[in-house]
Amino acid sequence: MESIKILIADDHVMIANALSSMLNNSAICEVVSVAHSVDDLLEQAKTQKVDVFIVDLGFKGTVGDVGIIDVLRKVKPEAKIIICSMRSNLHTIKACYKLGALAFVNKDSNPDDLIKAVEMAGKGERYFIPSVLAQVGEAWMDDPLEGLSEREKKVFMLFVEGASMEEVIEEIGISKQSINNLINERIKPVVGTSRSGFKEAARKMGLIEYID
């Protein structure tokens, strides 16, 4: 079997190196490149022959926890992406899959889980490691933001994750007035609070794990 060529993107050098060493010890994996920033990732995505991208979340230069997926797909629409992150809240996991990631692997998972995820992603198939499958399980279809459109959910979560109004305007591509209208007319009735209370509301709904 030809090895699966992998690019690892993680801004923590020691973690990236440890993942690289572990994967290179597998018979099916070959780490061809490691990126430590968004710019580095995008440049290498354009120039390297990569079968599977293993990417952390929360990179500087992206908006929101899962923004890196959109950023990478704009450069490489066909990218086969595995998210490898310490984040473990259900909303983030579901958002990664909905944005097209083929697997979500916690950084404290068994190494065999990541290797299996790579094997399945190499085939273009979505995969749930056991711990993630147990978490999403029956809750996969449960949505505490039911009633909001995908754009409205994105506006809500961007503010929850700490984005400024200017960053939300740039990410969503609509005016400040339109965003305020969405907040007051659509989002507030669903989450039960104004923008200042979005983070606390998200915590109560189980969408985030803690408040800074």
Side-chain angles (χ1 to χ4, degrees):
M1 177 181 177
E2 187 176 349
S3 61
I4 299 169
K5 294 178 172 55
I6 299 165
L7 189 156
I8 296 172
D10 197 305
D11 55 1
H12 295 89
V13 176
M14 290 180 64
I15 291 176
N17 289 342
L19 286 174
S20 179
S21 177
M22 183 270 290
L23 289 167
N24 280 330
N25 283 328
S26 165
I28 68 168
C29 301
E30 178 189 355
V31 178
V32 296
S33 191
V34 176
H36 300 301
S37 68
V38 173
D39 289 343
D40 197 12
L41 168 62
L42 298 184
E43 181 60 31
Q44 294 190 49
K46 295 175 186 175
T47 59
Q48 295 278 357
K49 185 181 184 302
V50 176
D51 299 315
V52 173
F53 293 81
I54 298 177
V55 183
D56 193 11
L57 297 177
F59 270 91
K60 292 180 180 178
T62 61
V63 179
D65 268 357
V66 298
I68 189 67
I69 299 175
D70 280 335
V71 170
L72 177 55
R73 284 197 173 277
K74 285 176 182 176
V75 171
K76 199 93 168 176
E78 74 280 14
K80 298 171 181 175
I81 302 171
I82 295 172
I83 297 300
C84 186
S85 173
M86 288 300 296
R87 290 168 169 80
S88 60
N89 69 78
L90 185 57
H91 176 82
T92 297
I93 294 172
K94 289 166 67 175
C96 288
Y97 281 105
K98 287 181 178 179
L99 286 173
L102 295 176
F104 186 102
V105 180
N106 305 109
K107 284 184 177 176
D108 58 359
S109 298
N110 188 308
D112 290 341
D113 290 336
L114 180 57
I115 292 170
K116 182 63 175 180
V118 169
E119 180 183 3
M120 298 302 290
K123 301 174 184 177
E125 298 177 11
R126 191 165 70 173
Y127 178 67
F128 296 88
I129 68 170
S131 61
V132 167
L133 182 59
Q135 187 171 358
V136 298
E138 295 178 0
W140 175 250
M141 297 306 295
D142 295 337
D143 188 354
L145 299 178
E146 185 177 2
L148 297 182
S149 69
E150 290 304 312
R151 181 172 70 173
E152 290 159 357
K153 292 175 187 177
K154 190 167 187 178
V155 168
F156 174 70
M157 288 307 301
L158 284 170
F159 282 122
V160 167
E161 293 162 2
S164 66
M165 176 62 79
E166 290 71 25
E167 288 173 323
V168 175
I169 290 169
E170 181 177 356
E171 180 73 11
I172 304 299
I174 59 177
S175 69
K176 180 178 180 179
Q177 184 59 53
S178 295
I179 290 173
N180 282 328
N181 288 342
L182 286 182
I183 291 172
N184 293 323
E185 298 171 12
R186 298 285 302 141
I187 300 174
K188 184 177 177 180
V190 171
V191 304
T193 182
S194 60
R195 178 181 161 191
S196 61
F198 280 1
K199 200 164 191 177
E200 172 66 10
R203 183 189 67 80
K204 289 180 178 178
M205 288 186 282
L207 300 177
I208 58 174
E209 295 170 328
Y210 58 88
I211 294 181
D212 295 334

